[in-house]
Amino acid sequence: MAAFRYSDKNPSHPISFFEFDAMHTRIEVLLTGLMQERGESLAQEVERRVRDMERRFNRFDMKSPLSVLNTRAVADSVEVDDELFMALELCEVFRVATRGYFSVAALSGAASAAWAQGAPYVLDGATHSVKYADEGVQLDMGGFAKGFALEQVLTLLRDSGAESALLNFGNSSVAAIGHHPYGEWWSVGVENQVRRGEMACEVHLCDSAMSVSGRAPSGEYHIVNPHTGAKVAQDEMILVEGRSPLVVEVLSTALYAAPRSERVEIVKQFDGYAAWEIVCSRSGSVERKRIE
Amino acid sequence: MNRKEFLSDCGKMGVAGVALSLFPWLESCSEKAKQEVQGEKVRIGIIGTGSRGLFHIKHLVQMPNVEVVALCDNYRPHLEDAAQYYPKAKQYDDYRRLLENKDVKGVIIATPLYLHAPMTIAAMEAGKRVFCEKSMAFTMDEALEVYNRRKELNGVLFIGQQRLFDPKYIKAMQMIHEGAIGEVVGVRNYWYRNNDWRREVPSPELERHINWRLYSDYSRGLMTELACHQLQNGSWAMGQLPERVMGAGSLVHWKADGRDVYDTVSAIFTYPNGVNMTFESIISNKHFGMGEQILGTKGTIDLVTAMHYTDEPAPKGSGMHQLIEQIERGVMSNSVFAGTSWAAESSSLAPGKPIMQNVKVVSGESSVGAEADGSKELLEAFLHSVVTGKQPEKVLEESYYATQFALLADKAMHENQILYLDDKYKVPYVPMKMK
């Protein structure tokens, strides 16, 4: 259940804030200018929507549509609902656009490299059915679901009339509706990976989103290179900014996994998105280089 | 932080009274108690001046209000070692002669286990106030006899369960009782070493005299020498006693030297509420060292390292909260919170938080004792009671049951049975978590 907080200490800009844990992370949403009742009702709707997607894309839940696919789509074509079909279409677009450095089949073990280069599944638009390309394919939507959920929540909030909001999905994915009540944008500091608590750089968001990929805060390398099946051991962070929270999420993950030599070509595939390599050193210096 | 500082901190927070009601043995550290014994010289005799006896002596020499006036050991080299610290002390090779010494007000008994009960009873009957090393006795009947005799004589008896006096354990138990880890659902104890547990023997006929821990005629091995220290953790944390125990023991590795006590033991103690407390000890592998953990529905407290781990995600003081304050104040500034993926801190990932500052962690590797393990505080409390004649509440019962359950587990292992503590061994037990 989302923890909801309402503040009208500043009567010109009352704040609705809610947070809850889902998708293995913490989700925080700040909305300004709404009445308390509306804020509370949106909090419930947002949480319900996120939890619904969490269930759908959870490969460890044997009843989830994704699990059903992982179990049955090796042998047969499996019909799926519109949302999952659309998600798989998008994943395939992203796989191609990122040269295979984003792949929902990245955790298919020894076979994952093959599914970075070629489609891991075949989609039939007429029947909305899916069939896996090989018995080794196993899909994991972990790198996709958070951005997808953020995209859906943004749409829900915009459709509900929200004009000023900031959404934080586990610090690595942040999206804004409109701007800060006292500025032309929402200003978000990216934390220095080496000197915790210090700011490595600042990002201005206005009807846009950003995503950061890199080592986990614990120091662990956790992003897998689909072409090798191995975890990527890079110490730099990748920051991507642009319109869609889903695209920035996918693109930052792919760029982190990709070798430097391929990053520029990958970014070129995504119009309206900017990406940076950020290197933090122990001395406190921060090197921020645009990938272009 | 030592025990006095702990009590002082409780005083600053206005909860010293609560602390004293929860942990009455802290009384000896209160201002009132200090005034009570001010200027008093405590005259002590030591029975058993081997390694553990010497360990206590090294603490005693730091205490100006103590005078060791008598030393006793029937092994001359040990007696001579101790005499270097107290050359004026009278020396004995028979503890009964020491007990006749009227100058001796209190005795510290640090002898092999099979001697604990007869020596403790003799000392109490001689009017001495007694500190005896753990375990309390070699058999369950003897433990009961010691307990009852103390009551009849209204004597003072401390058993060497030093964790009860260790500030980090006291603080941890206080947190547990206040609900810091939710409902207690498990207690884990283990003690691993990798050595033969032997002491050097100058002459073969002294083998059993010196290496008494290795022979079942004198000791119950790992259960009485190690487990006994840890078995109070469950009752202290939950305020109840185990209902039954099962276990398995074997001589796995050190079997070529003639010993007949187990070098590998595992025991499970089940409480009336279904919670299990485990104890495991192996002395041919030391990787995991010594560990004592209280597991709750909301988190874990590691007693040895004095660390608190939470099972619930810890909010990372998100910049979003700063943002709210800024808007409330009508200003705009950036908030640092974006970065690589946040993950819920779980017990396996989170580094944990120390429950108090300046904690010295004890490895459990030493067979003698370690600094900052509560031994010094226990000794101070005993010396206080030697002067006042007051037996602290509840402590003896905890020690008594730690011994009984160590012995019961050893019996369960030998008989390959699940055993319940016989009613005849049950003495009144007041949980330390309640006044």
Side-chain angles (χ1 to χ4, degrees):
Chain A
M1 181 85 178
F4 180 83
R5 175 183 163 192
Y6 185 77
S7 169
D8 55 3
K9 276 188 192 167
N10 182 340
S12 307
H13 299 284
I15 301 164
S16 298
F17 176 78
F18 54 92
E19 57 188 329
F20 57 96
D21 294 335
M23 297 183 155
H24 307 295
T25 194
R26 171 150 301 174
I27 289 165
E28 297 173 307
V29 178
L30 186 158
L31 296 145
T32 69
L34 299 178
M35 301 295 284
Q36 180 167 355
E37 200 177 319
R38 185 73 188 120
E40 278 178 313
S41 132
L42 279 177
Q44 287 172 13
E45 283 182 56
V46 166
E47 185 180 8
R48 197 179 309 122
R49 189 79 189 95
V50 170
R51 296 216 182 280
D52 178 53
M53 275 178 278
E54 185 179 36
R55 274 190 294 274
R56 284 170 167 277
F57 294 131
N58 184 359
R59 74 183 172 113
F60 299 108
D61 175 357
M62 295 314 289
K63 291 178 185 163
S64 74
L66 185 64
S67 280
V68 172
L69 269 190
N70 277 339
T71 313
R72 291 178 42 208
V74 173
D76 304 304
S77 280
V78 178
E79 192 176 330
V80 296
D81 63 28
D82 285 353
E83 190 170 67
L84 183 52
F85 192 81
M86 180 183 73
L88 290 170
E89 283 178 320
L90 278 170
C91 288
E92 188 52 14
V93 170
F94 291 143
R95 186 190 65 78
V96 173
T98 62
R99 300 181 164 202
Y101 287 101
F102 173 84
S103 167
V104 285
L107 300 182
S108 298
S112 69
W115 312 125
Q117 289 156 19
Y121 46 79
V122 178
L123 299 172
D124 183 340
T127 59
H128 268 207
S129 60
V130 185
K131 185 166 189 321
Y132 286 180
D134 186 87
E135 62 180 15
V137 171
Q138 284 290 292
L139 300 189
D140 180 301
M141 305 290 274
F144 174 87
K146 201 163 63 170
F148 190 65
L150 189 45
E151 189 89 45
Q152 303 265 322
V153 170
L154 268 186
T155 305
L156 187 159
L157 292 176
R158 281 199 185 103
D159 291 350
S160 304
E163 292 179 350
S164 171
L166 191 66
L167 295 80
N168 175 21
F169 274 37
N171 296 347
S172 61
S173 301
V174 183
I177 296 175
H179 54 80
H180 189 288
Y182 296 97
E184 294 172 17
W185 52 70
W186 291 93
S187 180
V188 179
V190 177
E191 190 181 29
N192 188 310
Q193 255 195 321
V194 179
R195 291 154 67 114
R196 294 282 172 199
E198 292 184 14
M199 189 170 71
C201 64
E202 187 179 347
V203 181
H204 294 166
L205 299 179
C206 183
D207 289 318
S208 61
M210 57 171 280
S211 174
V212 181
S213 290
R215 297 170 73 168
S218 61
E220 186 196 356
Y221 298 114
H222 65 110
I223 294 174
V224 171
N225 179 348
H227 286 278
T228 62
K231 287 182 180 171
V232 183
Q234 299 262 23
D235 288 336
E236 67 199 351
M237 289 188 284
I238 298 290
L239 166 66
V240 177
E241 188 194 341
R243 291 186 305 277
S244 157
L246 173 58
V247 172
V248 295
E249 171 94 11
V250 164
L251 189 51
S252 69
T253 307
L255 290 173
Y256 180 76
R260 286 189 167 182
S261 56
E262 296 193 47
R263 285 175 179 170
V264 174
E265 291 307 311
I266 293 171
V267 173
K268 280 181 184 171
Q269 301 296 316
F270 295 84
D271 273 348
Y273 290 86
W276 291 267
E277 295 162 351
I278 299 172
V279 180
C280 303
S281 73
R282 292 199 183 280
S283 65
S285 69
V286 177
E287 193 185 327
R288 181 180 167 181
K289 187 183 164 202
R290 178 92 184 249
I291 302 172
E292 57 186 357
Chain B
M1 182 193 272
N2 61 33
R3 196 161 57 109
K4 292 188 186 76
E5 286 167 342
F6 171 73
L7 196 60
S8 163
D9 277 3
C10 290
K12 284 176 200 157
M13 291 183 278
V15 294
V18 178
L20 285 169
S21 70
L22 286 168
F23 313 113
W25 56 98
L26 287 171
E27 185 71 48
S28 65
C29 285
S30 67
E31 281 306 314
K32 185 180 155 216
K34 274 189 266 180
Q35 285 167 11
E36 216 172 15
V37 297
Q38 211 161 23
E40 292 275 355
K41 198 81 170 173
V42 192
R43 292 188 172 77
I44 294 293
I46 315 257
I47 301 172
T49 55
S51 55
R52 186 66 186 174
L54 211 54
F55 177 79
H56 290 312
I57 286 172
K58 286 173 184 171
H59 280 137
L60 291 170
V61 293
Q62 299 168 30
M63 299 174 188
N65 62 327
V66 179
E67 189 181 353
V68 173
V69 295
L71 296 166
C72 175
D73 205 300
N74 59 6
Y75 182 56
R76 194 73 206 163
H78 283 169
L79 196 55
E80 286 167 4
D81 287 344
Q84 288 183 16
Y85 291 88
Y86 289 102
K88 290 182 186 165
K90 286 192 179 169
Q91 296 180 19
Y92 301 88
D93 61 4
D94 184 335
Y95 75 96
R96 287 165 295 199
R97 301 290 83 76
L98 181 146
L99 294 178
E100 289 166 2
N101 183 334
K102 301 293 179 201
D103 281 346
V104 174
K105 301 299 177 201
V107 293
I108 294 172
I109 300 170
T111 55
L113 177 61
Y114 76 106
L115 296 169
H116 285 183
M119 287 181 166
T120 298
I121 290 171
M124 289 192 298
E125 287 175 345
K128 312 298 183 195
R129 281 142 192 180
V130 181
F131 171 148
C132 180
E133 266 306 329
K134 61 90 211 74
S135 295
M136 196 167 175
F138 183 55
T139 68
M140 297 174 80
D141 286 331
E142 280 183 344
L144 182 63
E145 195 186 343
V146 170
Y147 180 84
N148 286 336
R149 198 73 185 112
R150 201 286 317 163
K151 208 168 171 185
E152 287 159 13
L153 295 166
N154 196 25
V156 166
L157 177 58
F158 282 62
I159 303 296
Q161 302 278 146
Q162 64 264 21
R163 280 161 176 71
L164 294 168
F165 294 81
D166 186 328
K168 58 181 179 288
Y169 281 74
I170 293 169
K171 172 75 178 171
M173 291 300 175
Q174 189 181 15
M175 288 174 65
I176 291 163
H177 296 163
E178 287 168 358
I181 59 168
E183 182 191 354
V184 174
V185 291
V187 180
R188 298 199 323 155
N189 302 299
Y190 54 83
W191 206 324
Y192 303 111
R193 291 172 174 166
N194 195 348
N195 63 52
D196 61 10
W197 211 14
R198 302 188 66 79
R199 306 290 166 87
E200 201 178 327
V201 179
S203 174
E205 72 274 12
L206 291 170
E207 163 65 11
R208 286 178 172 243
H209 188 87
I210 290 175
N211 284 313
W212 54 270
R213 290 175 184 82
L214 308 182
Y215 299 98
S216 58
D217 287 343
Y218 314 104
S219 166
R220 303 311 306 176
L222 295 171
M223 292 312 294
T224 50
E225 304 309 318
L226 299 186
C228 192
H229 278 304
Q230 298 183 322
L231 296 186
Q232 76 218 349
N233 290 339
S235 52
W236 194 358
M238 287 189 284
Q240 54 183 309
L241 296 167
E243 191 176 58
R244 60 183 186 270
V245 57
M246 64 177 100
S250 21
L251 196 46
V252 171
H253 181 73
W254 302 105
K255 46 189 166 186
D257 65 359
R259 74 182 66 191
D260 64 357
V261 298
Y262 299 141
D263 63 4
T264 299
V265 294
S266 292
I268 302 173
F269 302 80
T270 303
Y271 287 79
N273 61 358
V275 171
N276 287 328
M277 171 171 72
T278 59
F279 172 78
E280 184 171 82
S281 184
I282 293 171
I283 54 169
S284 47
N285 178 291
K286 65 177 180 182
H287 179 73
F288 291 103
M290 180 177 74
E292 298 164 33
Q293 293 122 16
I294 310 293
L295 318 181
T297 49
K298 292 182 180 170
T300 301
I301 285 190
D302 189 314
L303 298 167
V304 173
T305 58
M307 295 293 286
H308 177 207
Y309 302 91
T310 177
D311 273 8
E312 295 173 340
K316 190 199 159 187
S318 162
M320 292 286 274
H321 293 269
Q322 293 172 30
L323 205 48
I324 293 169
E325 286 168 24
Q326 289 168 15
I327 297 170
E328 285 173 343
R329 287 188 285 117
V331 297
M332 180 185 175
S333 174
N334 69 57
S335 299
V336 179
F337 63 85
T340 52
S341 304
W342 179 94
E345 289 186 352
S346 70
S347 57
S348 57
L349 294 174
K353 289 184 183 147
I355 62 172
M356 61 199 293
Q357 299 302 310
N358 305 321
V359 165
K360 186 161 191 238
V361 176
V362 174
S363 73
E365 204 161 349
S366 167
S367 301
V368 178
E371 285 305 318
D373 72 347
S375 294
K376 192 175 176 188
E377 287 85 353
L378 168 56
L379 208 49
E380 283 171 346
F382 167 64
L383 296 169
H384 178 265
S385 282
V386 172
V387 175
T388 63
K390 289 180 192 164
Q391 172 74 32
E393 289 178 34
K394 303 178 182 176
V395 184
L396 187 62
E397 285 71 20
E398 284 296 335
S399 304
Y400 171 80
Y401 278 112
T403 292
Q404 289 293 23
F405 282 104
L407 292 168
L408 189 66
D410 185 62
K411 190 165 185 258
M413 290 175 199
H414 282 90
E415 294 178 2
N416 197 21
Q417 285 195 59
I418 297 172
L419 296 180
Y420 291 72
L421 188 67
D422 194 303
D423 282 347
K424 71 177 177 181
Y425 297 121
K426 290 180 183 165
V427 302
Y429 176 70
V430 181
M432 293 212 282
K433 65 186 294 189
M434 292 165 64
K435 174 70 177 168

